[in-house]
Amino acid sequence: MYQLKGVTKQYRRGKEAVDALAGVDLVIGDGDRLVIQGPTGGGKSTLLQMLGGLDRPTSGTVELDGVDLASLPEARLTKVRAESIGFVFQSFNLIPTLSARENVETALVPLGMRAADRRERAAEALASVGLGERRSHLPAELSGGQQQRVAIARALVKRPKVLLADEPTGNLDESMRDEIMELLEGLWKEHGLTFVMVTHDSAIARKAPRLATIERGQIKVTERAER
Amino acid sequence: MFFTYLRRELRRRRKAALVVASGLALGIALVIVVSSVSSGMEQAQGKVLQSLYGLGTDMTVTKAAAPAEDGSGQTEGRPRFRFDATDGEDSDAGGKEQSSDRVMVQGFQTLSASTVSKVGGQSGVADAVGGLSLQVMKVNGRFERGAFEQAPGSAGGRAQPPGGGGGSDQQGGRVRGGGADFDVDSYSVYGTDVGKLDLGPLTSSKISKGRTFTGSEADAKVAVADASYAEEKKLSVGDTVTISGTKIKVVGIATPDSGDAAADLYLPLKRAQTLADSKNKITTVYVKAADSQRIDAVKSAIQKNVSGTTVTTSADLADTVSGSLSTASDLASSVGKWLSVAVLVAAFLVAGLLTSSAVSRRVREFGTLKALGWKSGRVTRQVIGEAVVNGLVGGVLGIAAGLGGAYAVTAISPTLTAELGSAGGQPGGGTGGGPGGGGPGGALRESASKALDISLTAPVSVTAIALAVGLAVTGGLVAGAFGALRASRLRPADALRRVE
Ligand SMILES: Nc1ncnc2c1ncn2[C@@H]1O[C@H](COP(=O)(O)OP(=O)(O)OP(=O)(O)O)[C@@H](O)[C@H]1O
Ligand SMILES: [Mg+2]
């Protein structure tokens, strides 16, 4: 369970300061699905970085199960990222020189798993996103949708508690978008994840039971009755 | 994963890896070539010195050069030949064949034989042996009596010239063809201590035919001839040579290991002393030091305790080596070394900057790995690992290129000349020749300074290879450090950076 209190993030570039987050309070329950939308530059990615422990807020606390990620020492924060958080990026961020399976394996490396186990788990994860046959392909040999599937397998292979996705369909054409969304939704249900997703797709946003809108660093959460 | 990732990176970014590697390779190859060429130079210098000194000699002791020519050496030294210049009875047959040997101590500076034991008694001296260098001038030839020829116009005995009054009583004829026809042959003789054949100039030659001296031949009339002298004079084992009327049997032929021999003929020391009329005199003491690291200390001990001597170490002698060998050797040690250091530093820097910029191009990749929970150390290790492998590839290429270069130098084997022994450098050289420098003086000076042709090789030592491997690893680590510095500054949030 996430509990954010008074989270601010200020980026400084020389004299100019940008308040990407200006006092965000937010609670996300275990197994919840939260969709975040808002205008570009509103602070969506910044909030996701705070949730994923990729960066620290300027002020405020980001508690994950009672542990404040904002003040956690770097080594422990790294461990939290390795064990509890799966991240899916808009531009896939696969390692271009590694095969699909090896890319998935990179997520298991920090867990100190034996190579054989790692390989097996990675192959399973790839099968679960429908890419069992393409595991030895390089990213460049896969379509955008397939690459994002590999990235999703990489995010979930460690069986994290939280899945964070920053515009996971942003770089895909329409036909692939629904596929990926369906896949993510299925996996969320299957694994009982806490799932936070940033999207520009208003169709998806409209369907979401819980919707957060971020504009100029301010958050507004809309709860909707379960359909 | 470390190795898988490493392998994939190197294989799939081959070009970038090769650029870094070949930069390092250039530097490493240069180091190998320069170091092997300079060790080749050292070997060449060693050969030059060894040809003079013999194996195992660390220094020589000779008489201190007189500050000015003090006459005594002069009168004794100037060779004089006496020939029977009177016209023999057998005038029809022309002059009688005459021959005369003049045996001189080379350099005219001798030491008492007791110096050997004095030098041998100094601390740090392992062994000392005395020797006598001689120069033999052999003059061979005859005087020819002039033949009288009558002038064509006054045939028929006594002339009665109307004009009268010529100064000559041999009117109407002339003397033709009178004069002298002499060969001057000069060769060097070295008197060696037959009791200590393991030290001294003869050790730089191998006995190729016959035998060397035995311990009982201290005063025997036997000689070992230098191979090239023997060839020139058509001497072989069993032949005899005559020096000042003494018949001496050649028992062995000695071939120098390299360069020129120290003498044309080697004789037992006592016999040489007798021939030169120099009883208990020597020209040079050959000294072997107990510890080759403490040669300078031994040198100053001898100089202090054995008065009137000059001590010349191999290092002193090496300083007197001139000619293209020393020029090339200076070049290798100064320009070559600095050039390879400069190229190495440049290669290290370029490799470092290329690695650093390669990391910059992979900001998102490394950011992503950090976002996945990779420790910073694991990421930097990956970067360093890649750089070290690049360095090793560079090392292999560099060693191959360096071996090729050194092999090429050896194959071409450029000939260098070494001139040894300017005044005072070579034991007994120069000073004795006298200011006049007439025939014999000039000949002595010539034989005192040596000019050797040495062909240069470039032997690659194991040390040079080890050095190259060390440099390759260092180069990789330097490059890796640049990259690692860059990589360690990356944050997980860089995974979201929109670069490229
Ligand atoms: N590393 C950074 N340095 C400086 N400013 C930054 C940095 N990252 C984000 N910002 C600024 O913070 C603000 C919020 O950025 P953020 O990326 O969170 O927006 P976003 O809502 O994700 O936008 P988009 O929909 O375009 O992805 C923007 O004004 C952006 O320019
Ligand atoms: Mg964004």
Side-chain angles (χ1 to χ4, degrees):
Chain A
M1 186 174 90
Y2 273 113
Q3 198 154 16
L4 282 68
K5 277 186 203 146
V7 172
T8 69
K9 180 68 187 180
Q10 193 174 57
Y11 290 113
R12 297 198 142 271
R13 186 145 286 172
K15 278 180 197 155
E16 274 174 73
V18 181
D19 289 307
L21 294 178
V24 171
D25 297 306
L26 180 65
V27 174
I28 308 169
D30 284 343
D32 271 8
R33 189 172 74 133
L34 177 67
V35 172
I36 302 174
Q37 66 165 16
T40 180
K44 305 180 292 292
S45 295
T46 306
L47 177 64
L48 220 58
Q49 284 174 47
M50 301 303 137
L51 295 173
L54 302 189
D55 207 348
R56 293 168 195 273
T58 309
S59 67
T61 56
V62 181
E63 275 181 22
L64 174 60
D65 298 331
V67 176
D68 182 16
L69 302 184
S71 57
L72 210 59
E74 193 56 47
R76 297 222 6 233
L77 191 60
T78 301
K79 197 156 179 269
V80 169
R81 284 201 299 270
E83 288 171 354
S84 312
I85 291 160
F87 221 113
V88 175
F89 306 91
Q90 178 177 348
S91 39
F92 326 137
N93 290 20
L94 298 176
I95 312 297
T97 55
L98 296 180
S99 72
R101 199 202 66 223
E102 287 157 355
N103 260 288
V104 176
E105 277 187 60
T106 57
L108 298 175
V109 166
L111 303 182
M113 206 176 276
R114 279 181 38 230
D117 296 343
R118 221 165 50 203
R119 213 163 301 154
E120 198 178 315
R121 282 267 292 269
E124 272 170 34
L126 278 174
S128 74
V129 296
L131 281 180
E133 309 295 300
R134 317 296 299 263
R135 64 191 135 197
S136 53
H137 286 241
L138 289 176
E141 295 162 352
L142 298 170
S143 74
Q146 287 168 329
Q147 286 185 55
Q148 194 61 302
R149 281 164 190 266
V150 174
I152 291 165
R154 178 178 65 182
L156 295 179
V157 72
K158 64 175 97 165
R159 295 175 192 144
K161 195 181 291 170
V162 180
L163 178 62
L164 305 173
D166 194 351
E167 297 183 46
T169 57
N171 278 15
L172 300 176
D173 57 39
E174 223 152 326
S175 62
M176 288 191 190
R177 240 174 249 179
D178 297 341
E179 254 179 59
I180 294 293
M181 283 318 301
E182 256 168 57
L183 176 68
L184 283 171
E185 210 150 323
L187 290 167
W188 162 58
K189 282 186 183 137
E190 189 185 327
H191 296 287
L193 298 156
T194 304
F195 180 26
V196 182
M197 178 172 68
V198 172
T199 183
H200 274 302
D201 194 331
S202 43
I204 296 165
R206 231 176 288 126
K207 282 195 286 179
R210 199 160 177 245
L211 179 70
T213 309
I214 300 185
E215 201 167 350
R216 282 192 225 125
Q218 309 275 354
I219 192 165
K220 203 171 78 201
V221 181
T222 321
E223 310 270 354
R224 249 186 284 253
E226 204 75 44
R227 285 184 302 142
Chain B
M1 198 66 197
F2 175 79
F3 289 107
T4 311
Y5 193 8
L6 189 63
R7 218 165 45 233
R8 299 280 186 270
E9 281 300 320
L10 292 169
R11 192 188 309 160
R12 290 179 183 143
R13 291 193 224 262
R14 232 175 291 145
K15 255 189 218 152
L18 220 60
V19 169
V20 175
S22 41
L24 288 170
L26 181 64
I28 288 163
L30 210 61
V31 167
I32 292 184
V33 170
V34 166
S35 81
S36 62
V37 164
S38 46
S39 71
M41 303 268 181
E42 247 163 62
Q43 279 188 8
Q45 292 226 13
K47 277 183 196 167
V48 171
L49 299 182
Q50 187 197 316
S51 76
L52 265 181
Y53 262 17
L55 292 168
T57 301
D58 294 312
M59 65 194 83
T60 59
V61 179
T62 50
K63 189 173 175 72
E69 300 297 338
D70 60 0
S72 70
Q74 281 298 85
T75 43
E76 193 193 326
R78 198 175 289 282
R80 186 166 297 149
F81 297 89
R82 293 185 195 282
F83 291 110
D84 183 8
T86 57
D87 197 357
E89 303 306 307
D90 49 344
S91 54
D92 309 312
K96 179 170 62 175
E97 168 109 22
Q98 297 185 59
S99 172
S100 177
D101 284 355
R102 175 73 197 182
V103 181
M104 292 163 295
V105 172
Q106 193 165 53
F108 312 118
Q109 304 274 348
T110 54
L111 290 163
S112 156
S114 63
T115 315
V116 179
S117 51
K118 240 190 263 176
V119 169
Q122 300 302 314
S123 74
V125 173
D127 206 357
V129 65
L132 184 67
S133 288
L134 300 174
Q135 191 73 26
V136 179
M137 310 269 310
K138 193 179 202 69
V139 179
N140 245 337
R142 66 187 69 199
F143 286 111
E144 210 85 49
R145 202 177 150 209
F148 176 72
E149 259 176 39
Q150 203 131 41
S154 57
R158 307 242 155 218
Q160 340 77 322
S168 168
D169 58 339
Q170 296 265 348
Q171 276 179 357
R174 49 186 129 151
V175 175
R176 265 232 177 118
D181 177 17
F182 282 92
D183 264 350
V184 179
D185 182 18
S186 164
Y187 58 95
S188 57
V189 170
Y190 178 78
T192 186
D193 188 340
V194 296
K196 278 184 181 171
L197 285 169
D198 55 345
L199 197 58
L202 192 50
T203 53
S204 61
S205 291
K206 281 199 173 58
I207 301 296
S208 47
K209 269 184 210 123
R211 59 172 180 90
T212 186
F213 303 110
T214 65
S216 61
E217 288 176 326
D219 198 18
K221 293 172 187 173
V222 291
V224 170
D226 173 56
S228 45
Y229 181 73
E231 193 180 350
E232 188 191 322
K233 297 290 167 196
K234 302 196 168 49
L235 289 175
S236 51
V237 174
D239 289 355
T240 51
V241 290
T242 310
I243 304 173
S244 285
T246 309
K247 281 200 172 6
I248 288 165
K249 192 177 164 202
V250 175
V251 295
I253 305 290
T255 307
D257 296 337
S258 61
D260 284 350
D264 294 325
L265 276 181
Y266 301 87
L267 295 179
L269 178 58
K270 271 234 179 76
R271 177 52 51 190
Q273 287 168 337
T274 311
L275 283 172
D277 201 15
S278 305
K279 278 264 175 288
N280 291 323
K281 297 282 186 201
I282 54 165
T283 46
T284 313
V285 183
Y286 293 82
V287 180
K288 185 185 172 71
D291 180 358
S292 62
Q293 304 297 306
R294 299 191 57 249
I295 283 172
D296 284 337
V298 176
K299 173 182 176 172
S300 48
I302 296 172
Q303 236 152 10
K304 207 174 93 197
N305 301 329
V306 186
S307 59
T309 56
T310 299
V311 182
T312 312
T313 63
S314 325
D316 297 336
L317 205 55
D319 289 343
T320 73
V321 174
S322 57
S324 57
L325 171 61
S326 68
T327 312
S329 156
D330 288 349
L331 214 65
S333 62
S334 55
V335 179
K337 259 171 207 157
W338 284 115
L339 184 67
S340 41
V341 166
V343 170
L344 264 183
V345 169
F348 281 13
L349 272 176
V350 168
L353 292 175
L354 284 174
T355 309
S356 178
S357 86
V359 171
S360 298
R361 266 179 276 115
R362 291 161 71 187
V363 162
R364 210 164 66 182
E365 178 175 333
F366 292 132
T368 302
L369 290 173
K370 288 190 175 184
L372 287 173
W374 281 41
K375 288 190 190 111
S376 199
R378 191 187 289 277
V379 176
T380 49
R381 216 181 318 147
Q382 206 71 42
V383 171
I384 291 173
E386 285 177 25
V388 168
V389 172
N390 281 344
L392 289 176
V393 170
V396 169
L397 291 177
I399 288 171
L403 285 176
Y407 179 80
V409 170
T410 307
I412 297 166
S413 65
T415 305
L416 299 171
T417 45
E419 276 146 32
L420 254 171
S422 50
Q426 213 255 347
T431 50
L444 276 181
R445 198 171 284 167
E446 222 161 78
S447 67
S449 73
K450 275 175 176 273
L452 298 182
D453 280 345
I454 299 272
S455 61
L456 179 69
T457 59
V460 181
S461 60
V462 178
T463 335
I465 299 286
L467 178 72
V469 172
L471 285 173
V473 174
T474 311
L477 286 174
V478 168
F482 274 79
L485 189 73
R486 184 82 187 77
S488 69
R489 292 211 185 116
L490 297 179
R491 299 168 309 122
D494 286 322
L496 291 127
R497 279 253 289 265
R498 279 171 203 140
V499 283
E500 289 153 79

